[in-house]
Amino acid sequence: MKSFANFSELLERLNPAADTLGKLDDSLLKWLQQKRDTGRLISQHISVPKNLPGGCYAVIDFGGTNIRTAVIELQTAGKSRIIAAHTEPLRCAIYDMTKENVTGEELFEFVARQLQKTLEEARAAEALLAEKLPLGHVFSFPCLQKDINSAQLLKWTKEIRTRGVEGQDVQVLLRNALLKADLELIEPAAILNDTTAVLLASQYRYGCTALAGIIGTGHNFGGFLENMVYTEADSAGKFTAHNFESGDFTDIPENLITNLDTMLDAASAAPGEQLLEKMVGGAYLGEIGRLAFVAAGEEFPELRKLAFIEQPYSLKTPELSMVSDCCHDVAQTGLWLKRHGIDDPSAQACKCASTIADAIFKRAARITAAEISAFLASGFIIKYESRPSYVALEGSLYLKTEYFRKCLFRSLSTEFGIENPCERIVSMPDAVLLGAAVAAGIGGLTQEKTHI
Ligand code: ADP
Ligand code: MG
C-alpha cells in the first residue's frame, strides 16, 4: 500500500494502470485454479435437469440489504411468472436486524413474517395455493454445505453482526421460524448462494451459461465447472455450480490498494477479509467515497462542510452512484453538493465530487471486468460448442448504475479483449428469485438429500 501526498495522487491511485489490472487478472486466475486443485471450491453440485417440474414455489432472497420473498410459478421453455413478491429492508430507521443485540431466532422470525405477507398476497391472487409449497432459500454468505437442504454459516460478511447464527445451520433456524409462524405448508427444499441461483436462473432461461456475478451489497462470482473432480453422481450429470467466493479474494496487487481501502478495512467488522468485496461491493463504495471527500477536504476546505463527512457510512452508495451517472453535468453535481450542505458550491468542488464518484465506480467496474476475464479464461469453466457462453449479472449496483455498466463493458472489450460484451453479458434483475425456485424444483427431484 502506498499513501498519497495530495488529491491528484489519490486520483491517480484510484485509476490504476492497465498493467496493474492485468496483474489482478493473473492472480485471480491462479487463485481460482489453486482453489479448485486443492478442493476448496464450494460446489453446490446442481445444474438444471431436463425433467425439472413446473409449478409454484416459495422463495426467499437473503442478500444483505433486503429480504425479498416471492411465490413463483415455473412454466415451460424457461418461462416463469412471479405471482406475488415483497421486499423489506433488513435495517431502517425503526429497526435493525443486523445488529449484535438481535438473535438468530429473531432474525429468521422476521424473515418468516415477510414470507407470510407474500403468501397471503399470492393466495388472494390465486386460489390454488392451499397445497404445500416447496421453498428455495437463497442465503448469500459463506456457508459449509453438505447437502442441498442445509447450510452452516461460516461467517457473516457485509457488516452483519446478528448473534447466534454463525456456526448454525440456517435452514434449521428458518424451519423453526416457519413453524412458529404457522407456515407448515412451506417446505424448505433447497438452500443456495446467490451466485448459484443466478447461474441456475440464467441456464434455465437462456441456456449456455458459464458465469454469474453478484454486484449488489456484496460482490461475488460463481460458475459452472466441467464435472471432472467430483465422482459422486449429480442429478444432471455434466457440470456443477460452484460458488467462488471471489469477494474474499485478498491477494490484491499492491498498486491497486489505496490508503482509503486500508482505512476502510481497518475500521470494518472483519479486517483483512473480503478485500476484493470491499473495493467493489455496494456496502462499501459510499464509504470509500466519504473517505475520499475527507482526503480531498485537506486541500479544498469547502468540502469539509459536507454533512456526511464526519459520520462513517453516512454517504450511501446509491448517492455516489447518482453523482457518477451525471459526472459530466456540473449543474447536477452542484445541486447534489448543495443538498449535502455546501450552499454555493464552487466549480472546483463540483469537479472534485464528480472525479471522486467517477474514479470509484470506474475502478469497481474494471476490477469486475478483470474477474470475468480471469474466470472465463480458466480451463475448467464450462464451454459450449454452439455459442460463446453467457455471463449473467445481478445486483442493484450493476443494474442501477449506468456508469458502472458502461465502464464494465468498455473495460471488457478494450482491456481484456472480450468480444461483444453486450451480447455475452445478460442482465438478470429477477435471477435470484427465479434461481431459488429452480433449486427448490431440483431439491424436490432429489427426495433423498443430494450430496454436494
Ligand atoms: P442485496 O445485495 O442485498 O441482495 P441488491 O442487489 O439490491 O441487494 O443491492 C443493494 C445494494 O446495491 C445496496 O447496498 C447499495 O449499495 C447498492 N445500490 C442500491 N441502489 C443503487 C443505485 N441506485 N445505484 C447504485 N447502487 C445501488
Ligand atoms: Mg442479492
Side-chain angles (χ1 to χ4, degrees), residues 99-407:
K99 279 190 172 155
E100 210 169 353
N101 63 356
V102 175
T103 65
E105 282 76 20
E106 287 165 337
L107 174 63
F108 282 94
E109 281 165 23
F110 172 82
V111 174
R113 281 199 297 280
Q114 307 317 316
L115 190 60
Q116 203 163 28
K117 281 191 242 167
T118 308
L119 277 178
E120 278 163 20
E121 212 174 282
R123 290 218 169 93
E126 317 253 322
L128 1 140
L129 284 170
E131 73 265 29
K132 293 197 166 193
L133 276 186
L135 170 80
H137 179 195
V138 175
F139 184 75
S140 308
F141 301 87
C143 286
L144 185 67
Q145 230 186 317
K146 295 216 171 79
D147 73 54
I148 197 169
N149 208 8
S150 73
Q152 182 191 358
L153 176 65
L154 291 172
K155 59 168 185 176
W156 279 126
T157 54
K158 306 174 224 179
E159 306 304 301
I160 296 184
R161 298 166 201 245
T162 314
R163 84 186 132 95
V165 189
E166 285 180 337
Q168 301 298 310
D169 183 341
V170 287
Q171 274 312 65
V172 171
L173 289 171
L174 175 66
R175 224 175 263 123
N176 291 342
L178 291 174
L179 288 178
K180 218 166 166 182
D182 292 327
L183 291 173
E184 298 84 2
L185 288 178
I186 303 291
E187 288 194 323
I191 180 164
L192 64 162
N193 184 267
D194 49 5
T195 50
T196 305
V198 177
L199 278 173
L200 292 179
S202 177
Q203 187 72 3
Y204 175 76
R205 188 175 287 163
Y206 303 113
C208 293
T209 301
L211 279 185
I214 303 296
I215 304 161
T217 311
H219 180 81
N220 190 9
F221 269 82
F224 281 128
L225 266 57
E226 296 282 1
N227 193 6
M228 293 182 292
V229 261
Y230 299 92
T231 50
E232 284 182 63
D234 87 80
S235 54
K238 207 170 159 220
F239 48 87
T240 51
H242 283 68
N243 163 18
F244 300 165
E245 285 299 345
S246 61
D248 201 17
F249 178 78
T250 50
D251 187 19
I252 303 189
E254 198 194 346
N255 283 346
L256 206 58
I257 302 173
T258 69
N259 49 358
L260 306 184
D261 301 305
T262 311
M263 282 189 277
L264 181 142
D265 179 47
S268 68
E273 294 179 21
Q274 303 289 129
L275 293 187
L276 195 82
E277 179 165 85
K278 285 172 182 163
M279 299 170 94
V280 186
Y284 302 102
L285 294 191
E287 177 63 0
I288 299 179
R290 187 189 70 83
L291 293 169
F293 278 107
V294 172
E298 304 261 312
E299 218 166 307
F300 309 107
E302 188 184 359
L303 294 173
R304 293 186 211 151
K305 288 189 230 147
L306 284 165
F308 55 72
I309 207 96
E310 299 283 351
Q311 183 64 33
Y313 290 90
S314 58
L315 171 56
K316 302 293 175 203
T317 300
E319 286 275 327
L320 198 65
S321 137
M322 236 164 49
V323 181
S324 81
D325 272 345
C326 62
C327 65
H328 297 298
D329 187 338
V330 182
Q332 284 295 332
T333 312
L335 283 175
W336 183 79
L337 286 171
K338 208 166 166 181
R339 215 154 33 80
H340 288 281
I342 303 182
D343 281 343
D344 187 16
S346 66
Q348 183 71 265
C350 294
K351 177 115 198 307
C352 259
S354 59
T355 328
I356 286 172
D358 175 290
I360 289 169
F361 279 88
K362 193 195 282 173
R363 185 180 74 150
R366 291 173 72 210
I367 289 173
T368 307
E371 273 174 282
I372 293 175
S373 154
F375 301 150
L376 282 180
S378 69
F380 44 82
I381 205 91
I382 194 148
K383 292 186 179 59
Y384 298 91
E385 279 169 12
S386 53
R387 53 150 294 131
S389 54
Y390 289 121
V391 177
L393 296 183
E394 191 270 354
S396 293
L397 179 63
Y398 165 77
L399 294 166
K400 295 185 181 166
T401 311
E402 199 186 325
Y403 187 64
F404 180 95
R405 287 197 301 275
K406 209 163 98 184
C407 294

